[in-house]
Amino acid sequence: VVDQYWAEMADHIEDIETLYEDDKFGSRELAALVASKVHYHLEQFSESLTYALGAGTLFTTQIHSGKPSQYVFTILSKVIDKYIAERAEKESNPEADPIDPRLEAIVESMFDRCFEEGNIKQAVGIALEARRLDKLEECINSSSDRASTLSYTLEAAQSLITSRHFRNKVLKVLVELYRTLETPDYQNICQCLMLLDDAKSVAAQLGELVQGGDEPSELMAYQ
């Protein structure tokens, strides 16, 4: 309905916003959702995001409902941008205000949808952008092809992450996860260690392979 009559509703946007701000109004989340959609059609995306956060579960359920609308995709993009900014601010300044829990709820819903649909690479991208190492590990461990997802993550970490400090954190996580594969990927373990400038650990890993006593391990070390 809003998508069809948003122009008419725009004439009454202040009344809709007043309903949301009224603590005694029983459908505040619905008023927030309507206000968010009207602002979206007016291309007032900051206001649209603000009211989408106020819509609570009425918004987050749309993330999981079939094929999300362009409105939902647009707001999710704004959510990610704001969440990334707040995470970066909190990381650089521990005294900064806590991250808005409503943002956290929407981001969690985005991860849930990715996992439900098997969009692991998309989830990895969100985890890297949002600097969520916990979700990054969950992405890799829930993948049906962990080796492939690890390789994708390693490539993404080198091309997408601009912060050396955070990239090093990711590389350390990848080293540990590569070791948990049924057949540990020593080549990529060493690559991660080299990217970390950890020559001592690279030497130790190569020495371990040479002393392993089997020809494949020795050949891997000499490569």
Side-chain angles (χ1 to χ4, degrees):
V1 176
V2 179
D3 291 337
Q4 186 174 358
Y5 297 106
W6 66 268
E8 290 82 357
M9 292 180 177
D11 293 334
H12 304 281
I13 188 63
E14 291 184 3
D15 295 330
I16 298 170
E17 292 172 350
T18 299
L19 288 174
Y20 166 66
E21 293 164 4
D22 184 356
D23 292 336
K24 297 179 181 179
F25 183 59
S27 300
R28 294 182 65 234
E29 290 189 347
L30 179 58
L33 184 62
V34 172
S36 176
K37 288 188 174 183
V38 172
H39 280 297
Y40 163 76
H41 285 291
L42 292 171
E43 298 186 359
Q44 297 170 340
F45 299 124
S46 177
E47 291 85 351
S48 183
L49 171 58
T50 297
Y51 285 103
L53 293 176
T57 56
L58 288 184
F59 178 79
T60 55
T61 53
Q62 295 192 36
I63 300 173
H64 300 272
S65 59
K67 184 179 180 181
S69 65
Q70 188 59 46
Y71 156 74
V72 172
F73 280 123
T74 300
I75 297 304
L76 290 181
S77 174
K78 302 298 180 184
V79 166
I80 287 294
D81 290 344
K82 186 172 179 61
Y83 183 69
I84 290 170
E86 290 199 10
R87 291 273 303 179
E89 172 67 17
K90 191 67 176 174
E91 188 171 292
S92 62
N93 178 20
E95 300 300 319
D97 292 336
I99 295 173
D100 190 329
R102 300 173 302 175
L103 282 176
E104 296 269 13
I106 293 176
V107 171
E108 289 295 327
S109 292
M110 293 172 68
F111 278 118
D112 289 343
R113 181 181 174 90
C114 287
F115 293 144
E116 289 168 7
E117 298 183 348
N119 293 329
I120 301 300
K121 288 184 178 180
Q122 182 182 359
V124 166
I126 296 172
L128 290 176
E129 286 189 286
R131 303 190 178 192
R132 288 287 301 272
L133 291 177
D134 58 329
K135 285 297 181 182
L136 181 62
E137 289 193 55
E138 187 176 347
C139 290
I140 295 169
N141 288 329
S142 64
S143 173
S144 59
D145 187 347
R146 294 178 67 227
S148 175
T149 302
L150 278 165
S151 295
Y152 174 80
T153 305
L154 176 55
E155 182 179 341
Q158 295 177 78
S159 60
L160 297 179
I161 302 175
T162 56
S163 166
R164 181 180 178 83
H165 177 69
F166 180 64
R167 184 169 60 248
N168 285 350
K169 286 185 176 182
V170 171
L171 291 171
K172 290 176 182 178
V173 169
L174 294 182
V175 167
E176 296 307 314
L177 291 175
Y178 270 123
R179 294 187 191 279
T180 65
L181 292 176
E182 186 174 350
T183 302
D185 188 337
Y186 294 112
Q187 184 172 347
N188 277 322
I189 289 173
C190 288
Q191 182 180 352
C192 289
L193 293 172
M194 286 188 290
L195 290 170
L196 287 165
D197 291 327
D198 190 349
K200 183 177 180 180
S201 293
V202 172
Q205 182 64 75
L206 294 177
E208 183 180 320
L209 288 171
V210 170
Q211 295 171 13
D214 60 284
E215 186 175 345
S217 293
E218 287 188 39
L219 291 174
M220 175 66 71
Y222 291 127
Q223 286 177 3

